[in-house]
């Protein structure tokens, strides 16, 4: 694709650009990632709002690196040379999409929305006037994405950058004015947020944005602008180095959480992490979400009620969700109800001490049962998992994995007393409860509360199907801390979509139409999606619909009485049609639905 020559302007040096073409976008993305990589540690060091978790620079760098890799992919794609080389619209859209997919932390998520806002304008044209409009659109889009905007943050700096270049001009002039205005606003942030003033630092996210704009100035002018003053970096005792440990299932948890430099609770602004202070949420939850606009509006309201620091960015069916909560399972479940969450990342910032188990001489709590026979002199196990499961075979499989199981009989869901008895039977100080059924949520919550009154520490993970419980049990590790284990299991369950095949007992109306007695029903996420006459063919259709949205692992749980070779047929179907997807099969035995399907 030929490019129009840049207009001549005698006020502009020969090495300056008047149009931000695709090559300039590529250079800008590379310089941004490189600059944030250089300044990562310095930005991490001034991260004190809302808590001093010291990862804003790292999150911004990882977001920018993902954006740059997406731009590079456009240039290196087959055929991306000569006449078919990408244009500015291709490059800026790739930049924004890459940042959306790779966004980390609050500031990284907001940066992705800033780039998305710019892309919408620069895709039309990319001269100085359009850059000014793009920065204004970016600032407004980022502010709208934050549930409760705070001044003295990256949002303030973005707004100042847009105001500084209002009216447009040449591309170099607009870029310089935006950068200078952002730098001035950054220096004022300690006077806008009390925690920054007390710590003697500027806002970490705002400083990162100044770096991004500095890379833009260097790209369009050929000269690096003056860097932000290093003043305001606190002494090492004020901001301890973050400690973190990797946790499976896209969750990570620090070994210890540093205290807030200000002693304030985690706020609803744009700082990184979440507050280990008593009043602040303990978890940061991030995930990509495929959902429509209406569902996302409802999700925002629900997540805002669950926690703070809510940022939801994106559009056109794909969103990046970030929130700080005390109940990560509820945040993930809200995403499941809104659409399809994936790439779930849960970080636990607060260290919660386990509830002490009653000592040998302690009196039992009111209502607690007498010590069970055989346990009078036994010491409680550190931790156990209690799971509700359909089918004898599936229950036996999970029991072999160390779980205490409760078998769900057809038409007879276990009551709260039965769940409480299972928690007691597990005879552990800490218990993870997996109800594996939406209808059991209330009974499981009641059983958990009664068990807590007896001195047992219970975490209820809101699994809605047996395959989600299997995914959670697969990442269970008794050797790590209780909170880390619950986070990993919650993330694994939330990342698993589920389906079930059943046989209709009578004629009825469903979301897929009218079914007759004997029809095979394919239910996806609890709703009838397919009505068929053959179990195998219906299962193939359900699998194809689920895998259209992607997946890496298919779990098949087959009950007794299904057609011979059903599992082999479905495994072959997946292997031939979805080369990167693995399949694992379990036998549920009697008392389970004909087929359960999980896609992770």
């Amino acid at each position: 694709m030929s490019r129009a020559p840049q207009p001549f302007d005698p006020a502009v040096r020969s090495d300056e650009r008047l149009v931000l073409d695709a090559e300039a976008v590529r250079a800008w993305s590379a310089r941004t990632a490189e600059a944030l990589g250089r300044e990562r540690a310095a930005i991490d060091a001034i991260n004190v709002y809302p808590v001093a978790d010291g990862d804003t620079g790292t999150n911004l760098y990882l977001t920018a690196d993902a954006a740059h890799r997406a731009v590079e992919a456009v240039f290196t794609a087959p055929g991306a040379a000569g006449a078919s080389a990408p244009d500015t619209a291709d490059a800026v859209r790739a930049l924004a999409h890459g940042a959306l997919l790779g966004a980390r932390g609050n500031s990284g998520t907001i940066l992705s929305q800033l780039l998305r806002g710019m892309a919408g304008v620069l895709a039309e044209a990319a001269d100085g006037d359009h850059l000014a409009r793009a920065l204004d659109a970016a600032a407004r889009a980022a502010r709208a994405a934050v549930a409760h905007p705070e001044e003295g943050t990256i949002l303030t700096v973005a707004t100042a950058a847009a105001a500084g270049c209002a009216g447009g001009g040449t591309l170099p002039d607009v870029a310089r004015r935006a950068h200078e205005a952002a730098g001035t606003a950054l220096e004022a942030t300690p006077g806008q947020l009390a925690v920054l003033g007390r710590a003697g630092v500027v806002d970490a996210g705002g400083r990162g944005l100044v770096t991004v704009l500095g890379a833009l100035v260097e790209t369009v002018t050929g000269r690096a602008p003056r860097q932000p003053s290093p003043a305001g970096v606190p002494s090492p005792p004020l901001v301890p180095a973050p400690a973190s440990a990797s946790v499976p299932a896209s969750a990570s948890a620090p070994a210890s959480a540093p205290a807030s430099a200000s002693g304030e609770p985690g706020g609803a602004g744009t700082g990184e992490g979440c507050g280990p202070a008593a009043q602040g949420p303990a978890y940061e939850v991030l995930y990509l979400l495929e959902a429509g606009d209406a569902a996302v509006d409802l999700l925002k309201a629900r997540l805002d009620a669950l926690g703070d620091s809510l940022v939801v960015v994106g559009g056109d069916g794909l969103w990046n969700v970030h929130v700080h909560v005390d109940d990560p399972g509820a945040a993930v479940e809200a995403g499941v109800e809104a659409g399809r969450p994936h790439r779930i990342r849960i970080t636990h910032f607060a260290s919660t001490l386990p509830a002490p188990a009653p000592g040998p001489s302690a009196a039992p709590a009111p209502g607690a049962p007498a010590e069970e026979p055989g346990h009078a002199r036994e010491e409680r196990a550190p931790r156990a998992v209690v799971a509700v499961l359909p089918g004898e075979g599936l229950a036996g499989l999970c029991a072999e994995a160390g779980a205490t199981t409760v078998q769900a009989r057809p038409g007879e869901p276990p009551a709260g007393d039965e769940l409480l008895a299972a928690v007691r039977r597990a005879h552990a100080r800490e218990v993870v409860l997996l109800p594996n059924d939406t209808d059991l949520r209330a009974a499981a919550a009641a059983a958990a509360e009664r068990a807590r009154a007896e001195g047992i520490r219970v975490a209820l993970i809101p699994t809605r199907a047996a395959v989600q419980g299997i995914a959670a049990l697969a990442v269970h590790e008794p050797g790590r801390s209780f909170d880390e284990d619950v986070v990993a299991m919650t993330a694994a369950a939330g990342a698993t979509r589920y389906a079930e095949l059943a046989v209709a007992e009578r004629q009825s109306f469903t979301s897929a139409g009218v079914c007759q007695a004997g029809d095979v029903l394919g239910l996806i996420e609890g709703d009838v999606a397919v009505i068929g006459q053959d179990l195998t063919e219906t299962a193939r259709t359900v699998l194809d619909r689920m895998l259209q949205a992607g997946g890496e692992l298919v779990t098949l749980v087959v009950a007794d009485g299904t057609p011979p070779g059903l599992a082999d047929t479905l495994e072959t179907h997946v292997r031939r049609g979805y080369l990167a997807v693995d399949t694992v099969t379990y036998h549920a035995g009697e008392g389970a639905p004909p087929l359960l399907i999980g896609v992770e």
Side-chain angles (χ1 to χ4, degrees):
M1 180 180 297
S2 60
R3 298 184 176 87
Q6 298 182 4
F8 174 72
D9 187 334
V12 179
R13 296 192 350 252
S14 59
D15 58 345
E16 293 184 341
R17 298 174 182 265
L18 290 181
V19 176
L20 195 71
D21 60 14
E23 287 291 350
V25 173
R26 185 185 195 183
W28 177 33
S29 70
R31 282 193 176 96
T32 297
E34 181 183 0
L36 287 172
R38 287 194 310 267
E39 296 190 28
R40 178 189 60 79
I43 296 174
D44 282 345
I46 61 171
N47 174 198
V48 299
Y49 178 79
V51 292
D53 56 331
D55 63 357
T56 294
T58 299
N59 288 336
L60 286 169
Y61 165 71
L62 292 173
T63 304
D65 183 62
H68 174 57
R69 285 188 278 109
V71 174
E72 282 297 310
V74 170
F75 277 87
T76 58
S84 61
D87 57 15
T88 300
D90 295 330
V92 294
R93 286 170 182 154
L95 183 75
H97 189 68
L100 176 68
L101 295 181
R104 300 290 185 92
N106 238 0
S107 291
T109 306
I110 292 171
L111 175 61
S112 75
Q113 187 73 343
L114 289 167
L115 294 175
R116 179 181 174 84
M118 293 182 69
V121 177
L122 295 177
E124 301 172 1
D127 56 15
D129 290 343
H130 281 82
L131 176 60
R133 287 174 47 200
L135 290 169
D136 179 64
R140 287 186 285 107
R143 192 170 286 268
V146 177
H148 303 284
E150 285 280 350
E151 295 306 325
T153 65
I154 186 175
L155 298 178
T156 305
V157 176
T159 299
C165 62
T170 65
L171 186 67
D173 180 52
V174 168
R176 288 191 193 97
R177 283 157 47 204
H179 177 259
E180 290 170 1
T184 300
L186 176 66
E187 293 175 2
T189 56
Q192 295 172 299
L193 269 181
V195 60
L196 300 179
R198 285 193 294 271
V201 298
V202 296
D203 179 66
R207 175 167 173 178
L209 179 57
V210 172
T211 298
V212 173
L213 294 173
L216 177 61
V217 171
E218 185 174 1
T219 299
V220 301
T221 68
R223 292 183 294 179
R226 180 181 62 84
Q227 294 299 313
S229 169
V233 177
S235 60
L238 181 61
V239 182
S244 61
S246 178
V247 175
S250 302
S252 61
S256 61
S260 169
S262 67
E264 294 189 350
T270 60
E272 300 297 307
C274 38
Q279 303 94 328
Y283 297 91
E284 179 186 57
V285 179
L286 302 97
Y287 49 79
L288 291 176
L289 178 71
E290 297 175 14
D293 291 357
V296 169
D297 289 340
L298 294 174
L299 174 67
K300 289 178 182 177
R302 181 170 177 184
L303 292 179
D304 193 30
L306 284 175
D308 61 29
S309 292
L310 174 61
V311 185
V312 181
V313 302
D316 302 321
L318 182 63
W319 310 82
N320 196 308
V321 178
H322 172 283
V323 67
H324 299 165
V325 293
D326 280 322
D327 186 351
V332 173
E333 185 179 9
V336 171
E337 292 178 358
R340 187 177 83 86
H342 51 106
R343 296 195 189 180
I344 299 170
R345 293 192 295 271
I346 302 175
T347 303
H348 177 219
F349 288 93
S351 297
T352 304
L353 295 176
S361 60
E371 193 70 55
E372 296 180 28
H375 287 160
R377 291 182 175 82
E378 285 183 34
E379 185 177 345
R380 287 181 178 271
R383 188 175 311 152
V385 176
V386 173
V388 180
L389 297 159
E392 297 177 356
L394 199 56
L397 172 73
C398 292
E400 290 177 4
T404 298
T405 62
V406 178
Q407 188 171 342
R409 297 168 294 278
E412 297 181 43
D417 287 344
E418 192 173 352
L419 297 178
L420 177 60
V423 172
R424 291 169 177 165
R425 191 169 68 249
H427 203 65
R429 293 191 295 271
E430 300 169 337
V431 173
V432 180
L433 181 55
L434 306 173
N436 298 334
D437 188 331
T438 302
D439 294 336
L440 286 179
R441 178 93 183 258
E449 283 300 318
R450 292 172 64 185
R452 291 182 189 119
E454 298 173 8
I456 305 171
R457 190 181 185 200
V458 181
L460 170 61
I461 297 179
T463 48
R464 301 193 292 172
V467 288
Q468 290 187 326
I470 292 172
L473 189 57
V475 301
H476 168 54
E477 289 187 16
R480 61 188 167 201
S481 77
F482 186 65
D483 292 313
E484 290 175 359
D485 204 26
V486 171
V487 165
M489 295 175 73
T490 300
T496 302
R497 288 167 285 141
Y498 62 93
E500 173 185 335
L501 267 67
V503 178
E505 296 180 355
R506 63 184 67 87
Q507 183 188 57
S508 61
F509 294 92
T510 75
S511 54
V514 179
C515 70
Q516 305 296 328
D519 283 349
V520 179
L521 307 180
L523 293 87
I524 299 178
E525 306 282 322
D527 292 326
V528 177
V530 180
I531 300 175
Q533 281 69 51
D534 178 78
L535 187 67
T536 303
E537 288 303 317
T538 305
R540 282 199 190 100
T541 302
V542 169
L543 267 174
D544 287 338
R545 289 198 182 184
M546 295 182 76
L547 288 171
Q548 281 176 358
E552 298 175 357
L553 175 66
V554 170
T555 299
L556 304 174
V557 181
V558 184
D560 287 352
T562 57
L566 173 65
D568 291 340
T569 300
L570 296 179
E571 286 185 8
T572 300
H573 178 70
V574 172
R575 187 164 54 249
R576 289 177 177 173
Y578 308 91
L579 300 179
V581 180
D582 294 326
T583 307
V584 59
T585 299
Y586 301 111
H587 294 280
E590 295 182 359
L595 179 67
L596 301 173
I597 301 172
V599 176
E600 299 179 49

